[in-house]
Amino acid sequence: MQRHLISAADLTRDDAVLILDTAEEMARVADRPIKKLPTLRGRTVVNLFFEDSTRTRISFEAAEKRLSADVINFTAKGSSVSKGESLKDTAQTLEAMGVDAVVIRHSASGAPYRLATSGWIDAAVVNAGDGTHQHPTQALLDAFTMRRRLVGRDAGLGKDLDGRRITLVGDILHSRVARSNVDLLHTLGAEVTLVAPPTLLPVGVETWPCEVSYDLDSTLPKSDAVMLLRVQRERMNAAFFPTEREYSRRYGLDGDRMAKMPDHAIVMHPGPMVRGMEITAEVADSDRCTVVEQVANGVSIRMAVLYLLLGGNEPAVSHARPTEEK
Amino acid sequence: MSKTLIRGAKVLGGEPQDVLIDGTVVEAVGTNLSAEGAEVVEADGKVLLPGLVDLHTHLREPGREDSETVLTGTRAAASGGYTNVFAMANTFPVADTAGVVEQVWRLGQESGYCDVQPIGAVTVGLEGAKLAELGAMHESAAGVTVFSDDGKCVHDAVIMRRALEYVKAFNGVVAQHAQEPRLTEGAQMNEGVVSAELGLGGWPAVAEESVIARDVLLAEHVGSRVHICHLSTAGSVEIVRWAKSRGIDVTAEVTPHHLLLTDELVRSYNPVYKVNPPLRTERDVMALREALADGTIDIVATDHAPHPHEDKDCEWAAAAMGMVGLETALSVVQETMVDTGLLDWAGVADRMSFKPAKIGQATGHGRPVSAGEPANLTLVDAAYRGQVDPAGFASRSRNTPYEGRELPGRVTHTWLRGKATLVDGKLT
């Protein structure tokens, strides 16, 4: 049984499908009058957030509480970290308090990996987003949302996303969501296309298991799902694109563009959305947009991950990073 | 005892010979030399080299004595076979005045393990804005000949031009850390397939190459000489090769780690591999080896960059850049250049002693192993293979990427002007 979830690339197809299937079971808990399972009673999970993220932290906290875990929330702001304490010392302090799992969000790429592999702590580590590297539970909840919409809620059990065509649009270069989704969707058999201006695509993207295009309009008619990624306005200062207006004209999704998509195709966004620039209100508020579902599904996915890492009997998550070379 | 006979040493890798040291100089080199009155060191076919010279060392004193001091750094140097090191200027305070360079120089004199020649900063505070008092540093007791803002690039073309022109007055050389600052904002590793996958900011090769291209043209324009620190890319090699073919007075160095390690190792997120310039690709490594072999790259320099444990035992982004190198340099060069057939031991002596001494005008170092020359010597057991154990390092810091890695070669003896500083692998 592997103990950590650091990267979507670490998941095998069977691991990922098991998590998605387990999340379906967890989703049923949300339909009950009492939304709680005793699974992690007596286990302590700390949410170690070195970077602001209300949405993800609350989602993990809800998942932990629905599984009856004892939850400790740690935010760096105002803590000993702001007084100069290191990640290692912070982690070891928390472990000394008997923590079973650490859900970590960090602005530094690789921080969760270091935490899991450096020997600083024994607890299971779940990556809740690290720098521009990975956000595996986001990718899982996105895949879960796609499977429910494109394959079916019950019909999807045990199945992957074989042959589905998924388009990711926007700031691929700085997006941990994009990296995670490319890895996971490929593992699940989907055909992924990245669409962005060349300035917002990473060097070496041609080696990724996906297609790359600069042209959104030609990609839309053959997409089963279009996921828009947030473009940070401060990127404009670094000359990644000329103006917000030009970006919106070339890569924003409005009603006319959405009409080019197949009737069954869905629009996704990991949030928070910048309305008007990357997505119009008309699209964001349409029935085809799954943003709210993604949030709800996030809780189910995180329940499934924590259950399988800490409470489940079946191996769910492999950890296939290369060993550290000395 | 003032005489030492080194018996049966392969001088520069040649046939076994005896070398007699008398006082501070080599008295004779030959066969069957008399051992009368001399302490005998049985070399048994070990390789005897001129004492190594490192044109690029960080000794951290003054200011970061928790990382290294002149004393601990020179002890590490003697352990690695060095008899002369050039100490980089990025200390606290910065070595940008005659006072600071003299302090470093005197500490080196007092250490007794290795000569220390301070490098002076090109600009005040390494800020790239105003030339430091280059002449005063040259005229000081330290006699500075090499100037560098290493760690920071002299990125302003006018300041670089003026520095190159100004040091001509005393045949100085400007050693450039080639890093275009805007192209490397937020950079944490080599820009490429691995950085994209790991989500770490990329340091593109062109950020190094574009500065080198500019600087060799500036050096040509003003008729000065420029030295390029730690070349790391195949493109940089091509530019230096072109510049030399054009007659430009440029020299260049490569570090041992850039001859051996690639950015694939960064997948471990282990900050021991975090260094500036970053580890590059296999293609770059091969180009650097070939360039060192054919002379395009003139010398090997360690860029010995000690950091305390806590500055490396953390997440990648928070970690300091750099790795120690004095005590492993020769082994890495043997592994990558000698054992691969790219360079013989005479070539190693050339790249690690003769030429760096010449570039830095290190008087008395980088001299032939022959009668009448200063007895600055290094004896190497080239047949040795063993795992690197940083616990035995003399350096105050242990941030080596080679822990547990098997490397060939071991320096057994070092002599500084006839005085043994290292005997059977142990510092005196």
Side-chain angles (χ1 to χ4, degrees):
Chain A
M1 175 75 179
Q2 300 296 327
R3 299 174 47 238
H4 311 294
L5 176 58
I6 306 299
S7 168
D10 297 341
L11 297 168
T12 65
R13 185 246 177 222
D14 289 347
D15 289 338
V17 170
L18 176 61
I19 294 171
L20 300 185
D21 288 352
T22 308
E24 282 292 0
E25 292 176 36
M26 297 300 176
R28 293 192 188 99
V29 176
D31 298 332
R32 295 180 188 172
I34 297 173
K35 301 175 177 57
K36 210 153 173 109
L37 293 174
T39 314
L40 297 186
R41 187 177 290 157
R43 314 297 288 275
T44 303
V45 180
V46 62
N47 297 318
L48 190 57
F49 275 57
F50 290 88
E51 188 183 67
D52 291 338
S53 173
T54 307
R55 180 185 299 246
T56 303
R57 188 184 59 73
I58 290 175
S59 180
F60 268 105
E61 190 174 346
E64 291 149 6
K65 288 182 171 170
R66 283 185 191 174
L67 292 171
S68 304
D70 295 323
V71 180
I72 299 170
N73 283 315
F74 177 95
T75 49
K77 203 174 282 181
S79 74
S80 51
V81 171
S82 58
K83 298 171 194 162
E85 186 172 83
S86 69
L87 170 64
K88 177 184 177 181
D89 290 338
T90 303
Q92 289 183 332
T93 300
L94 292 167
E95 177 155 272
M97 296 174 185
V99 168
D100 297 293
V102 176
V103 175
I104 178 175
R105 172 69 158 255
H106 205 291
S107 59
S109 298
Y113 183 75
R114 282 286 282 166
L115 197 61
T117 59
S118 59
W120 297 338
I121 61 170
D122 288 327
V125 176
V126 179
N127 183 0
D130 62 327
T132 52
H133 177 220
Q134 281 278 332
H135 195 355
T137 58
Q138 177 71 44
L140 284 160
L141 77 88
D142 291 336
F144 184 73
T145 305
M146 289 174 206
R147 196 178 73 165
R148 278 190 151 192
R149 282 282 198 128
L150 302 176
V151 184
R153 186 168 176 162
D154 292 324
L157 285 172
K159 294 192 178 153
D160 56 21
L161 293 167
D162 188 41
R164 309 291 161 171
R165 293 164 302 181
I166 316 295
T167 300
L168 275 64
V169 188
D171 185 357
I172 309 296
L173 178 64
H174 301 97
S175 176
R176 54 193 171 211
V177 176
R179 282 169 177 75
S180 309
N181 267 288
V182 168
D183 287 336
L184 184 67
L185 293 172
H186 173 70
T187 299
L188 290 171
E191 296 168 14
V192 181
T193 301
L194 302 177
V195 179
T199 49
L200 288 174
L201 287 164
V203 168
V205 73
E206 65 278 2
T207 65
W208 293 13
C210 59
E211 298 292 316
V212 175
S213 171
Y214 308 141
D215 180 20
L216 179 58
D217 289 304
S218 65
T219 313
L220 292 173
K222 49 191 178 187
S223 299
D224 297 311
V226 175
M227 185 187 300
L228 303 161
L229 300 170
R230 189 165 73 93
V231 177
Q232 294 173 337
R233 286 196 158 102
E234 59 267 29
R235 303 286 182 220
M236 279 187 292
N237 298 332
F240 285 104
F241 49 91
T243 63
E244 202 171 310
R245 182 182 154 89
E246 172 149 329
Y247 179 87
S248 184
R249 190 182 293 132
R250 291 178 62 81
Y251 297 101
L253 190 63
D254 58 13
D256 290 344
R257 281 206 164 108
M258 188 168 67
K260 295 180 181 175
M261 294 165 54
D263 291 341
H264 70 274
I266 57 174
V267 176
M268 306 180 72
H269 197 299
M273 293 184 284
V274 179
R275 290 178 183 238
M277 181 181 173
E278 60 208 28
I279 188 168
T280 63
E282 177 190 2
V283 176
D285 296 333
S286 77
D287 291 343
R288 302 172 74 173
C289 184
T290 63
V291 170
V292 177
E293 280 172 59
Q294 287 170 264
V295 174
N297 292 341
V299 177
S300 303
I301 281 291
R302 283 154 186 148
M303 288 174 75
V305 167
L306 289 164
Y307 166 76
L308 291 165
L309 285 179
L310 290 177
N313 296 319
E314 293 297 318
V317 181
S318 73
H319 189 70
R321 283 268 172 201
T323 53
E324 208 161 277
E325 205 162 317
K326 297 271 181 170
Chain B
M1 188 177 295
S2 62
K3 285 191 175 186
T4 304
L5 181 71
I6 308 167
R7 190 146 59 197
K10 293 180 178 173
V11 179
L12 273 52
E15 289 302 308
Q17 288 184 292
D18 301 339
V19 176
L20 183 64
I21 300 171
D22 186 0
T24 62
V25 298
V26 174
E27 185 175 275
V29 179
T31 51
N32 299 319
L33 295 183
S34 168
E36 189 176 339
E39 181 184 356
V40 177
V41 174
E42 296 291 352
D44 288 331
K46 294 190 184 82
V47 176
L48 189 69
L49 300 174
L52 305 183
V53 176
D54 189 14
L55 199 66
H56 191 149
T57 303
H58 296 271
L59 293 179
R60 304 296 189 212
E61 190 177 8
R64 283 308 301 266
E65 291 83 356
D66 58 328
S67 305
E68 193 80 285
T69 65
V70 172
L71 179 61
T72 60
T74 52
R75 283 170 62 86
S79 291
Y82 288 88
T83 54
N84 184 279
V85 296
F86 285 75
M88 269 298 169
N90 60 341
T91 49
F92 300 94
V94 171
D96 59 2
T97 63
V100 178
V101 294
E102 281 195 2
Q103 179 192 0
V104 175
W105 176 74
R106 285 187 198 288
L107 287 167
Q109 295 279 99
E110 289 164 12
S111 84
Y113 283 95
C114 181
D115 285 347
V116 175
Q117 289 192 240
I119 293 174
V122 177
T123 64
V124 174
L126 310 176
E127 289 176 354
K130 187 173 180 299
L131 284 183
E133 290 189 342
L134 309 177
M137 289 189 275
H138 175 69
E139 288 164 11
S140 73
V144 175
T145 54
V146 181
F147 299 89
S148 181
D149 279 359
D150 180 63
K152 289 187 177 178
C153 179
V154 181
H155 60 87
D156 183 316
V158 172
I159 297 287
M160 187 61 183
R161 172 190 173 155
R162 299 290 180 242
L164 288 167
E165 286 176 315
Y166 197 83
V167 300
K168 285 166 67 178
F170 38 86
N171 195 27
V173 64
V174 177
Q176 176 69 293
H177 172 114
Q179 177 180 1
E180 209 293 313
R182 282 279 281 158
L183 284 171
T184 52
E185 276 176 13
Q188 301 199 49
M189 69 169 294
N190 179 47
E191 180 179 284
V193 172
V194 181
S195 68
E197 184 183 325
L198 298 183
L200 292 173
W203 197 134
V206 69
E208 176 174 305
E209 294 154 3
S210 59
V211 171
I212 296 173
R214 181 200 72 177
D215 286 354
V216 294
L217 291 172
L218 281 175
E220 179 182 47
H221 184 65
V222 303
S224 188
R225 65 189 180 114
V226 64
H227 176 75
I228 309 299
C229 296
H230 40 51
L231 247 69
S232 69
T233 79
S236 296
V237 166
E238 288 305 309
I239 293 163
V240 171
R241 188 171 284 136
W242 170 83
K244 286 188 168 181
S245 72
R246 193 176 160 101
I248 297 171
D249 199 352
V250 56
T251 53
E253 70 189 34
V254 63
T255 71
H257 48 271
H258 285 110
L259 291 172
L260 180 61
L261 309 175
T262 71
D263 63 354
E264 286 291 328
L265 293 161
V266 182
R267 290 182 188 282
S268 67
Y269 283 112
N270 186 342
V272 77
Y273 299 114
K274 187 174 177 183
V275 66
N276 186 11
L279 301 178
R280 304 289 188 180
T281 66
E282 184 73 15
R283 176 176 162 267
D284 294 307
V285 166
M286 292 305 152
L288 293 167
R289 289 184 188 183
E290 286 172 20
L292 183 64
D294 70 21
T296 302
I297 294 177
D298 301 84
I299 65 169
V300 175
T302 67
D303 195 6
H304 175 79
H307 292 291
H309 181 67
E310 60 270 23
D311 286 3
K312 286 289 194 179
D313 191 27
C314 55
E315 57 274 30
W316 181 274
M321 295 195 209
M323 46 184 70
V324 292
L326 284 168
E327 291 168 87
T328 49
L330 197 58
S331 291
V332 176
V333 171
Q334 183 180 336
E335 167 106 345
T336 57
M337 303 298 296
V338 180
D339 291 355
T340 55
L342 287 167
L343 213 57
D344 59 16
W345 285 106
V348 172
D350 183 62
R351 310 305 196 267
M352 295 184 76
S353 181
F354 299 146
K355 276 190 181 157
K358 187 178 175 198
I359 294 167
Q361 301 175 64
T363 311
H365 295 273
R367 304 292 304 165
V369 183
S370 56
E373 295 289 352
N376 297 317
L377 301 166
T378 294
L379 193 61
V380 184
D381 181 359
Y384 174 87
R385 282 199 82 88
Q387 288 189 338
V388 176
D389 179 12
F393 281 4
S395 175
R396 179 161 284 181
S397 296
R398 307 284 158 84
N399 49 307
T400 175
Y402 309 119
E403 182 176 2
R405 185 174 186 134
E406 187 175 289
L407 287 175
R410 174 173 170 263
V411 176
T412 63
H413 293 71
T414 307
W415 289 273
L416 176 64
R417 283 183 290 279
K419 176 181 175 288
T421 54
L422 187 80
V423 175
D424 290 328
K426 293 187 173 61
L427 288 161
T428 57

